[in-house]
Amino acid sequence: MSGLNKGTGSLSKGLGKVQVSLRWDPSPMGMPDNDLDLIAATYTAEEPYGKPAYLVHFDSRSPDGTILLNRDSRTGMGLGSDEVMTLEFDRLSPSYARVVVGVAIQQGGGRKTFGEVANTGVRVTEGYTELAADDFTSVAEATAATVVEFVRTGQGTWECRRAVRGFDADPVAFAAVMGSA
């Protein structure tokens, strides 16, 4: 994964509006659909590694509208990004100190890993600047993975950190542990 700790300089304004884009190819004909889901877990300053204050995933958004899943695919069909999540760090309440973004594969058709889903990729951007990108090859045997974490600095700005870690968990179990380390 390429990565950048944007927001670490003293003159930096930190991160503002960030997009996380996920892509993958549809499953072969006659096979269960490939359904990957972006998930964002938001943590408070009091419990940055505890239970998430809230999750954003399909059919949900953050309570204040600062984290939103703009596009949700259940098959990977179509051109370009299959799922897109927007995170507005410049509007996120100061009570939040950490946001972890991950991807989980729905397991409805039987156990499926990233290595079994063709052409997977995630890209994290702020405007035209790529902050991070990955193709999940380092976590090919996993069924879920964190991809990036955003952390509020002591100056109150947000920075992006590489955080590719694989998990062998269904989406519900993954959401409970994705920010634990």
Side-chain angles (χ1 to χ4, degrees):
M1 174 178 226
S2 61
L4 171 71
N5 283 348
K6 185 177 178 199
T8 58
S10 62
L11 296 177
S12 174
K13 293 180 182 178
L15 296 173
K17 190 174 189 177
V18 173
Q19 274 199 333
V20 180
S21 303
L22 177 65
R23 66 169 163 73
W24 69 94
D25 283 351
S27 60
M29 189 178 267
M31 300 298 292
D33 286 336
N34 294 331
D35 184 3
L36 283 66
D37 289 314
L38 281 170
I39 302 170
T42 304
Y43 301 87
T44 64
E46 290 78 32
E47 289 191 77
Y49 295 92
K51 182 180 177 189
Y54 61 83
L55 296 170
V56 176
H57 50 80
F58 60 91
D59 294 332
S60 72
R61 64 179 223 161
S62 65
D64 60 3
T66 58
I67 303 175
L68 176 66
L69 187 63
N70 306 73
R71 186 178 308 159
D72 177 32
S73 174
R74 294 181 182 205
T75 62
M77 290 185 183
L79 300 173
S81 300
D82 296 305
E83 297 214 354
V84 177
M85 182 176 281
T86 302
L87 302 99
E88 294 184 60
F89 291 104
D90 50 351
R91 294 185 338 129
L92 194 59
S93 168
S95 64
Y96 301 110
R98 185 169 172 252
V99 177
V100 177
V101 178
V103 176
I105 303 171
Q106 292 291 333
Q107 301 296 316
R111 186 176 188 280
K112 191 176 284 190
T113 65
F114 286 107
E116 296 170 301
V117 180
N119 200 28
T120 56
V122 65
R123 187 169 180 242
V124 181
T125 57
E126 181 183 34
Y128 294 107
T129 303
E130 183 175 276
L131 303 175
D134 195 76
D135 63 5
F136 299 100
T137 56
S138 66
V139 293
E141 298 302 314
T143 59
T146 57
V147 292
V148 67
E149 76 173 341
F150 301 96
V151 179
R152 191 182 297 270
T153 68
Q155 293 78 33
T157 60
W158 287 88
E159 66 182 28
C160 176
R161 296 180 181 168
R162 180 184 193 280
V164 178
R165 289 188 14 228
F167 294 79
D168 189 10
D170 66 30
V172 173
F174 172 61
V177 299
M178 65 187 279
S180 61

